[in-house]
Amino acid sequence: MPLRFHFTDDDLVRVRLAQEPDVLWESLLSMHLLQTADSASVFGHWRGTVREQLTPRAREVVRLAPPTGYSPDFLTPTAGEGSVDAAIDALLGTPPSRVHHDLSELARSTGHLPRTAHCLREGNDTAIERLAVGTKEYFDIAVEPLWPRIERRFHLERAALVRQFAHASPGSALAALHPSLSWDEPVLTVTGIRIERDVHLGGRGILVLPSFFCRRVPTVLRDPGLPPVLVLPMALGDRAPAERSPGEAVGPEEPLDTLLGRTRASILRVSAVSRTTTELARRTGVSTGTASYHAKVLREAGLMVSRRAGTAVLHHLTPLGRAMVDGRGAVG
């Protein structure tokens, strides 16, 4: 059942590559993977660990994302944003009409609606806030521990795609992204995703988003009226040499710990996603004052930047800090 994207000349010049991996797309697609036995040799340990740690609210969110078929579009309101705070804010800002529409579609697709989703479908503010909290809890448990690895893979993939688009026409470059894609100007056909539809882009262009947890075939939003996005499995992910299994604990022999000290190295790692000082303290098991002190040292070393957001201070990595977390800290 093919999906056909119809491009105009304006669409071809508006093909964009996401700048960062997307928090909510990675969360949604990992929920799909969590509920299957796919890729057991790579994700088996991760799957067992996550299933044991899921909170009740996180489990409610997973029930909205069946491993096959339709998942509500509102669970991925943005693409390529990178920041977990921005993603959760976007989720909270979902119009009630969108939530109602998508959950009604889920009920039609699966034949039932999870019991806890009925209040959500009716636009109950408390239910939407619970969904946002559950999504954040799920991300913290299932995705955040892998975020440095996800970012590393993403940027390797993106660099390869930039070179690919630089040496081919947009249509040809799109068709080369995955075996399920084909280009017959002005139409990009996507097969294997159980959606048969013609989507006329009408000058909106399309966003290409490589995803760590997207497996086998690309995926798209069901509603053609939403901003078009094409989510792709990371080709480099399957070809890369074996790494530490997802979810495996970081050992005491990590070079970053030796270089910076374990507490400071831990603060650097958890800052792969923007964190407040309080979050840094909670995640590394130190006091807020200690976390603030180590963040200051890392900031003065050029590994971290901090900015005020309301009453809080957000900390995130500089390119050098990210390179060190990724194991690419040596510079020539």
Side-chain angles (χ1 to χ4, degrees):
M1 295 186 292
L3 171 69
R4 293 170 292 271
F5 286 108
H6 294 257
F7 285 72
T8 65
D9 289 343
D10 287 340
D11 294 310
L12 289 172
V13 298
R14 290 187 173 93
V15 175
R16 308 175 310 284
L17 295 176
Q19 298 292 319
E20 300 286 344
D22 185 77
V23 165
L24 294 182
W25 271 108
E26 295 296 353
S27 295
L28 174 66
L29 294 170
S30 73
M31 291 177 200
H32 295 168
L33 191 62
L34 182 68
Q35 299 173 81
T36 72
D38 291 352
S39 306
S41 61
V42 178
F43 289 99
H45 177 82
W46 168 85
R47 190 178 282 120
T49 300
V50 172
R51 286 173 177 169
E52 289 178 358
Q53 295 180 355
L54 283 183
T55 64
R57 286 178 293 200
R59 292 183 188 279
E60 290 175 12
V61 181
V62 173
R63 293 188 191 104
L64 297 179
T68 59
Y70 176 72
S71 291
D73 287 337
F74 72 78
L75 292 176
T76 52
T78 60
E81 294 292 336
S83 164
V84 63
D85 294 325
I88 297 303
D89 285 347
L91 189 61
L92 281 168
T94 306
S97 58
R98 165 57 58 186
V99 176
H100 187 278
H101 173 275
D102 289 358
L103 290 180
S104 297
E105 181 67 24
L106 179 64
R108 285 191 293 271
S109 176
T110 62
H112 74 284
L113 194 64
R115 179 180 56 82
T116 54
H118 288 282
C119 288
L120 183 62
R121 181 168 62 171
E122 298 311 312
N124 182 282
D125 289 342
T126 301
I128 292 175
E129 290 171 4
R130 185 177 178 87
L131 170 74
V133 171
T135 302
K136 179 63 164 58
E137 290 178 354
Y138 177 87
F139 174 82
D140 288 344
I141 294 165
V143 181
E144 193 272 341
L146 302 182
W147 200 251
R149 182 175 174 184
I150 290 169
E151 288 194 308
R152 179 170 67 251
R153 290 285 183 85
F154 177 91
H155 288 294
L156 286 171
E157 186 86 4
R158 190 180 190 281
L161 295 182
V162 167
R163 292 192 295 271
Q164 189 169 308
F165 275 88
H167 293 91
S169 66
S172 298
L174 285 167
L177 293 176
H178 191 271
S180 68
L181 303 176
S182 61
W183 176 253
D184 184 9
E185 191 172 359
V187 178
L188 180 72
T189 300
V190 189
T191 58
I193 62 173
R194 302 183 182 183
I195 299 175
E196 184 170 9
R197 179 179 294 128
D198 288 277
V199 178
H200 294 268
L201 297 176
R204 294 175 295 168
I206 193 166
L207 181 72
V208 177
L209 175 65
S211 168
F212 181 84
F213 282 107
C214 186
R215 313 301 290 176
R216 298 183 181 173
V217 296
T219 188
V220 299
L221 295 168
R222 176 68 66 92
D223 187 342
L226 292 171
V229 58
L230 179 64
V231 184
L232 298 164
M234 289 186 182
L236 290 174
D238 292 333
R239 295 201 301 268
E243 300 182 72
R244 181 170 58 244
S245 298
E248 183 178 331
V250 176
E253 73 286 354
E254 281 285 302
L256 200 58
D257 293 59
T258 303
L259 178 66
L260 299 176
R262 185 169 296 183
T263 299
R264 205 165 288 167
S266 296
I267 287 176
L268 197 67
R269 288 191 189 97
V270 300
S271 299
V273 176
S274 293
R275 302 288 185 192
T276 65
T277 307
T278 301
E279 288 175 325
L280 291 181
R282 178 171 56 84
R283 289 184 166 274
T284 55
V286 299
S287 69
T288 303
T290 298
S292 179
Y293 168 75
H294 285 301
K296 178 176 181 290
V297 172
L298 292 168
R299 187 166 60 247
E300 291 174 347
L303 303 180
M304 180 185 287
V305 294
S306 305
R307 60 181 175 83
R308 182 162 294 281
T311 59
V313 176
L314 284 174
H315 309 277
H316 57 276
L317 301 182
T318 64
L320 177 58
R322 192 171 303 281
M324 292 189 69
V325 169
D326 291 348
R328 298 180 287 110
V331 292

